[in-house]
Amino acid sequence: LWNLAPTTMLAQIAVLAAAALWFAIQAVARPEFKTLCTTAQGQLKCAYHALTMAGAALMIAMMSQGTTPAPGTTPAQTMTMPMPATHHTMTATPHSPATPTLDHSPALAILPATFFTAAAVIFLILLLRARRQKTTHHPKTTPPPHTRTNHGLEALGATTMALMFATMSA
């Protein structure tokens, strides 16, 4: 199963890219074709989710370089973690300078890290603003509880994506 990792990563990238395309189409589609993003705020949310899905696909593509086996290696040579029953018969992974790899530039991760950091800050501001409106006891302006939860979860997701892209840029 270890050798199937590149295949599953390709499937993950394809699903995330298709989801990004779907959200992007929903953000710009005519009103009669929309199923999710019917308001201006919904269009902005769909555009953000399209960028999030595209960012996740990019992240998987950037991380996949370490799991693809080098051409001409046997399955025993590609395993980096020995299995308990066969650890005495395993060979080390050869490091050949002629082996082609998918090297990514760390600068490629800076733009998504910056974008998701800004998104996390915006969602935190929206969350804090919603909490402040709740404490001032204005019944007409108090957002529903699910809005605050959504802002909190979006802030958490954007922060996580920003941190992961920041570690890839280092």
Side-chain angles (χ1 to χ4, degrees):
L1 290 178
W2 188 262
N3 290 332
L4 293 178
T7 307
T8 60
M9 285 187 191
L10 204 57
Q12 290 174 23
I13 291 170
V15 168
L16 288 168
L21 179 64
W22 186 83
F23 276 114
I25 290 172
Q26 286 294 306
V28 298
R30 295 189 340 190
E32 59 267 11
F33 297 118
K34 292 183 182 182
T35 59
L36 185 63
C37 311
T38 56
T39 64
Q41 185 179 10
Q43 288 176 335
L44 186 61
K45 186 184 276 189
C46 277
Y48 170 73
H49 287 302
L51 289 172
T52 302
M53 294 291 173
L58 175 66
M59 188 181 308
I60 290 173
M62 290 173 70
M63 290 187 313
S64 70
Q65 70 178 350
T67 60
T68 56
T73 58
T74 62
Q77 292 173 329
T78 60
M79 297 189 100
T80 57
M81 295 179 64
M83 302 305 282
T86 60
H87 65 83
H88 293 290
T89 60
M90 291 275 187
T91 59
T93 304
H95 293 335
S96 169
T99 302
T101 60
L102 175 66
D103 290 331
H104 70 275
S105 171
L108 182 63
I110 291 174
L111 182 63
T114 305
F115 170 74
F116 286 114
T117 301
V121 168
I122 290 170
F123 283 120
L124 282 175
I125 289 170
L126 290 172
L127 176 66
L128 294 174
R129 193 175 83 185
R131 287 185 185 255
R132 190 184 59 136
Q133 288 176 353
K134 181 183 176 187
T135 60
T136 58
H137 302 294
H138 291 115
K140 289 186 177 184
T141 61
T142 303
H146 69 277
T147 301
R148 290 189 302 271
T149 304
N150 287 344
H151 290 319
L153 291 174
E154 292 285 358
L156 179 64
T159 302
T160 304
M161 291 287 281
L163 286 173
M164 287 192 283
F165 273 113
T167 57
M168 288 183 180
S169 67

